[in-house]
Amino acid sequence: MEQYTGHFMQHLPYLRRYARALTGTNGRGDALVTRTLEWYLEADEAESGRGDDTSRGTLYRHLHKLQDEDGSPPAVAPYHPVESALMTLAETDRRLYLLVNLEDLPVGEAAAVLGLAPEDAVERLTHARERVRARLTATILIVEDDAIIAYDLAETVRGMGHIVCGNAATMDEALSLAAEHRPTLALMDIRLADGDNGLEVARELRARRFLPVIFVTAFPDDLAKHGLEHLGPVIPKPFTRDQIEQAITRAVFMPQPEDARETQPH
């Protein structure tokens, strides 16, 4: 029995990672792995595949069986962009996506775990990736009165595969574009044309609806002077493209805070 437990333990880190993603919480995932271990030790050798060549695929299949028997949907945080994107997939496609992209299984092995024909798995995975990618594409508003800097920011955004919905040089332009396009993120200068202030734009956007803001400014201390650090992170000018890309990635993949949920359109 001890040697069988040792064989199982070789796969434990992978099983825990996958089960947690499958169920949506650490606790439920670990409970699912524990039940799989109990089955592995109690089932007959032919069914469980006990031995030196214990297959991760066999264990993944039993995780799925237990999850299906439980009948509980994944406990997914609905405001996490990645989880929300995955939840738009059919359950088989979600599992296929996780097995290949999270667990690094070759598509053929993942297909065998799920009982799919290899060519069907390839088609399903392609569709799943396209759907997730589309859901994770941000629509970004640029609020910057310097045309050269605005162009550089726009090129960086598009190079990442995101969409630029427009560039505003004033507060009125920014609010108008935000109302028309409902962006998911804004890159905001602080000192704008016509004496307008990006801090006021950000506060007004927050009052109307939650919109994450990244300030890109030559005056990074202005937020602290006004006690407005909570409005968003700051990238000081001059900036590098790497800084912009990293900040956008963090903003796109970060779950929205609790106070954002009450202002989301239904």
Side-chain angles (χ1 to χ4, degrees):
M1 185 69 70
E2 194 170 311
Q3 75 179 79
Y4 293 149
T5 304
H7 297 153
F8 184 92
M9 294 299 288
Q10 294 174 6
H11 301 298
L12 183 61
Y14 308 102
L15 295 175
R16 291 184 70 195
R17 179 177 62 189
Y18 180 65
R20 289 175 173 190
L22 190 66
T23 62
T25 71
N26 292 350
R28 287 177 59 185
D30 288 348
L32 190 60
V33 172
T34 299
R35 291 166 60 200
T36 300
L37 172 59
E38 293 169 351
W39 162 83
Y40 173 76
L41 295 176
E42 294 171 3
D44 62 63
E45 191 167 324
E47 181 185 3
S48 65
R50 281 197 302 268
D52 293 332
D53 58 349
T54 299
S55 166
R56 272 172 63 193
T58 298
L59 299 173
Y60 286 137
R61 279 191 289 273
H62 199 72
L63 283 175
H64 294 158
K65 182 173 183 288
L66 292 173
Q67 176 74 354
D68 292 340
E69 289 174 353
D70 179 62
S72 300
V76 176
Y79 296 93
H80 192 295
V82 177
E83 292 180 350
S84 295
L86 289 175
M87 285 303 293
T88 67
L89 304 176
E91 182 60 16
T92 297
D93 294 351
R94 186 176 78 96
R95 292 175 179 180
L96 176 64
Y97 186 97
L98 289 172
L99 286 170
V100 174
N101 291 280
L102 179 66
E103 296 304 302
D104 293 325
L105 288 189
V107 178
E109 289 184 25
V113 169
L114 296 166
L116 299 172
E119 59 274 14
D120 185 26
V122 170
E123 184 176 342
R124 281 172 172 264
L125 183 61
T126 299
H127 172 75
R129 284 173 169 167
E130 289 174 352
R131 187 157 186 169
V132 169
R133 188 181 301 114
R135 287 294 295 262
L136 295 179
T137 299
T139 300
I140 298 178
L141 170 64
I142 297 173
V143 185
E144 169 60 66
D145 63 342
D146 185 304
I148 295 176
I149 295 176
Y151 176 82
D152 192 23
L153 290 172
E155 288 297 291
T156 300
V157 168
R158 294 189 183 103
M160 295 178 69
H162 299 304
I163 297 168
V164 177
C165 68
N167 177 66
T170 66
M171 182 169 182
D172 286 344
E173 290 175 1
L175 296 179
S176 176
L177 285 169
E180 180 181 356
H181 297 285
R182 301 192 68 80
T184 51
L185 177 67
L187 300 179
M188 184 86 62
D189 191 8
I190 290 182
R191 302 193 183 182
L192 302 171
D194 299 342
D196 288 347
N197 191 302
L199 298 177
E200 291 303 315
V201 178
R203 293 174 73 174
E204 182 63 26
L205 288 173
R206 180 176 286 266
R208 296 186 182 190
R209 71 179 186 91
F210 180 80
L211 177 65
V213 172
I214 298 169
F215 291 97
V216 185
T217 177
F219 305 94
D221 295 334
D222 280 12
L223 276 86
K225 288 178 183 177
H226 296 86
L228 296 174
E229 298 96 325
H230 64 281
L231 289 180
V234 178
I235 298 176
K237 295 177 181 175
F239 55 83
T240 66
R241 289 202 170 192
D242 281 347
Q243 287 177 301
I244 300 297
E245 289 175 356
Q246 290 172 16
I248 290 173
T249 298
R250 283 193 295 269
V252 170
F253 283 86
M254 184 182 297
Q256 295 179 10
E258 293 290 335
D259 63 352
R261 303 179 186 184
E262 299 176 2
T263 60
Q264 293 300 304
H266 297 288

